[in-house]
Amino acid sequence: MLAATAGTFAAGALAGVGGRLLTDRRFDVTAARDAVRLPAPADPLPALPAAVHPNVPGLPPFTTPNADFYRVDTALTIPRIDPRDWTLRIHGLVDRPQLLTFDELLREPLEELDHTLSCVSNEVGGPYVGTTRWLGAALPALLRRAGVRSGADQLVGRSKDGMTIGTPLESVLDGRRALLAVAMNGEALPLAHGFPCRTVVPGFYGYTSATKWLVDLEVTTFTAFDPYWVQRGWDRTGTVRTASRIEVPAPFAKVPAGDVDVAGTAWATHRGVAAVELRIDGGPWRQAELAADAGPDLWRQWSYRWPGAPPGTHRIEVRSTDATGAVQPESRATPFPAGATGWHSTVVIVT
């Protein structure tokens, strides 16, 4: 999977950059995005309680600021879509094909969703995961309005740049809060995160659930069509694996002897996290203290006060248990083809 930053693509993107930059300036849609007035949600969610975030210095906030939200896609040039020209076509195995404008989408009853999104390319302990409050129209309601036909089992989203993302249709219609999202954290989607519209379906990695710059939704079958990443050998379903990471102390940090705060984050999207354990230097597993549970579609932060840490170099490992009782596996697997597994570890130097 292509990496997340422009630097990753630099070598292959040099040719023609000047022309693309001129095109981007000519078709800049920043002003159109700034002019979007988001309607209030039909049923606003309450603010997340302060107790979702342990009071540990250095631990990132529970909700990821838009500017810090990870980006992983294949777009060398971010698609510029004027919302006044945007339409979404819903077609395929449906009785009543739909064509929505952006104004029509904003007139739908909009819902809020607190959700942790992660990328299948994330290595154990990696950065490609973030939590935001999304705002959008209920995707299941729009599909039911179109009339899904019997036998359909895949929903394929198509991006303005041609990317295709396939999601199990039964999971979109099983009661989870799947959205056609138009906003993150109270503002219109940033251009890099799919403005003016993207899909969000809890429980799956982004490559099977989160079509950015969405312009087309096709109700189809898995036998009829292989989306972009499936064609390249990635798992068809893309269910998020249980994961956890240590964020405090930082790797190879030097900390004074005595009581040491250890903290981090765990996630098992759409299942939830029931427990987090850590061990030091291969010793017994110790229960971490979980912060408040904000719901199964969100990550859960945790902390542990390591009493009397002695001087020396120490290795700390972490594992989590999801709400079904399944323990995060120790065995390491690379992200390809279905997401990384293994326990995250870090080394700290106690002085």
Side-chain angles (χ1 to χ4, degrees):
M1 183 169 285
L2 296 180
T5 63
T8 306
F9 305 122
L14 288 177
V17 163
R20 283 198 295 272
L21 290 177
L22 291 173
T23 301
D24 288 349
R25 293 191 190 101
R26 192 174 301 126
F27 293 102
D28 184 27
V29 296
T30 302
R33 176 185 176 272
D34 292 344
V36 171
R37 296 296 175 260
L38 297 170
D43 186 15
L45 291 177
L48 291 168
V52 298
H53 180 65
N55 185 23
V56 176
L59 183 65
F62 184 86
T63 299
T64 309
N66 287 357
D68 297 334
F69 206 92
Y70 79 92
R71 178 192 166 201
V72 176
D73 54 54
T74 62
L76 298 182
T77 301
I78 296 173
R80 264 62 173 176
I81 305 174
D82 192 316
R84 294 165 295 189
D85 300 328
W86 178 88
T87 58
L88 174 65
R89 180 187 177 210
I90 303 176
H91 64 107
L93 297 177
V94 298
D95 295 326
R96 297 171 294 278
Q98 307 282 305
L99 188 66
L100 285 173
T101 67
F102 192 66
D103 284 343
E104 289 171 335
L105 183 62
L106 293 186
R107 288 197 291 269
E108 294 289 327
L110 299 188
E111 299 181 359
E112 289 183 311
L113 170 67
D114 292 325
H115 172 242
T116 296
L117 180 65
S118 57
C119 182
V120 71
S121 66
N122 205 29
E123 298 283 356
V124 172
Y128 298 152
V129 57
T131 291
T132 192
R133 176 163 288 187
W134 305 91
L135 175 73
L139 179 54
L142 292 170
L143 291 176
R144 291 188 174 100
R145 185 184 305 168
V148 175
R149 294 178 182 170
S150 176
D153 59 12
Q154 181 178 207
L155 180 65
V156 174
R158 288 182 172 84
S159 169
K160 178 70 173 179
D161 66 353
M163 171 59 67
T164 53
I165 300 290
T167 310
L169 184 60
E170 64 178 1
S171 298
V172 180
L173 300 174
D174 68 359
R176 69 187 74 196
R177 301 282 292 278
L179 295 183
L180 293 181
V182 297
M184 296 172 65
N185 289 330
E187 65 176 68
L189 292 172
L191 299 185
H193 292 290
F195 179 79
C197 179
R198 67 179 292 167
T199 53
V200 178
V201 184
F204 302 98
Y205 291 116
Y207 85 104
T208 60
S209 70
T211 311
K212 296 193 284 190
W213 312 295
L214 179 72
V215 294
D216 185 281
L217 282 173
E218 181 182 5
V219 178
T220 182
T221 65
F222 284 113
T223 58
F225 183 78
D226 285 338
Y228 181 90
W229 291 114
V230 174
Q231 293 175 29
R232 286 151 180 81
W234 291 81
D235 176 64
R236 185 178 296 279
T237 301
T239 301
V240 174
R241 294 182 180 273
T242 302
S244 54
R245 68 185 181 195
I246 302 164
E247 292 157 280
V248 177
F252 298 101
K254 292 183 178 180
V255 299
D259 294 350
V260 174
D261 284 323
V262 183
T265 308
W267 59 94
T269 315
H270 207 60
R271 298 184 304 281
V273 172
V276 171
E277 302 166 286
L278 73 159
R279 68 179 181 181
I280 300 164
D281 298 329
W285 288 101
R286 314 177 188 194
Q287 287 287 335
E289 181 178 352
L290 292 176
D293 187 359
D297 292 332
L298 292 147
W299 59 17
R300 201 161 180 189
Q301 294 187 311
W302 56 269
S303 60
Y304 177 78
R305 175 62 63 90
W306 176 13
T313 300
H314 302 279
R315 183 168 183 253
I316 306 173
E317 297 171 284
V318 66
R319 70 181 183 186
S320 59
T321 301
D322 71 21
T324 71
V327 179
Q328 182 181 346
E330 177 183 10
S331 59
R332 282 284 182 127
T334 62
F336 183 83
T341 63
W343 298 338
H344 185 224
S345 65
T346 193
V347 173
V348 297
I349 302 166
V350 179
T351 59

